[in-house]
Amino acid sequence: MMLQVVWIVLCTAGLVPIGIASLRGWAPRWARDCGARVTRARGIAAFTLYAGSLTPAVLSLAGVPGDELVPLRIAAGPLLILAATVLVLWASVTDRREASR
């Protein structure tokens, strides 16, 4: 139980500020110059990762057995992470394509 609580706190402390900052258009200096679309896509991806990382921990804390809600566990974990990755890649490729024109 303690591991799930620590996981929730770490995910909240790490992903929520990054997501909010990216949605507001802020990017760190070390990040390469990119368009507003890519920065916002990174913010949406951060919240998607946040939802995907919290769902298994919340289900465990709620007492849901491992055999029940297997589709939710599958969709919340790998599929949301894959969706966030595809979103960032799509926005980056689109931004580079538009910048090269």
Side-chain angles (χ1 to χ4, degrees):
M1 182 170 126
M2 186 65 172
L3 181 64
Q4 287 90 2
V5 172
V6 170
W7 181 254
I8 291 171
V9 169
L10 288 176
C11 288
T12 302
L15 291 172
V16 170
I18 291 172
I20 291 172
S22 294
L23 286 176
R24 294 191 52 113
W26 180 84
R29 291 182 194 163
W30 51 265
R32 76 169 190 86
D33 292 333
C34 57
R37 182 185 315 172
V38 177
T39 304
R40 287 193 181 92
R42 288 178 183 162
I44 294 169
F47 283 116
T48 305
L49 287 173
Y50 181 66
S53 63
L54 282 188
T55 305
V58 169
L59 289 175
S60 294
L61 286 174
V64 176
D67 294 340
E68 294 182 14
L69 297 177
V70 171
L72 179 62
R73 288 181 188 264
I74 292 170
L79 290 180
L80 284 175
I81 291 171
L82 179 66
T85 305
V86 168
L87 175 66
V88 170
L89 288 175
W90 174 76
S92 297
V93 167
T94 305
D95 187 52
R96 285 186 185 183
R97 189 178 307 150
E98 289 177 2
S100 67
R101 289 183 188 178

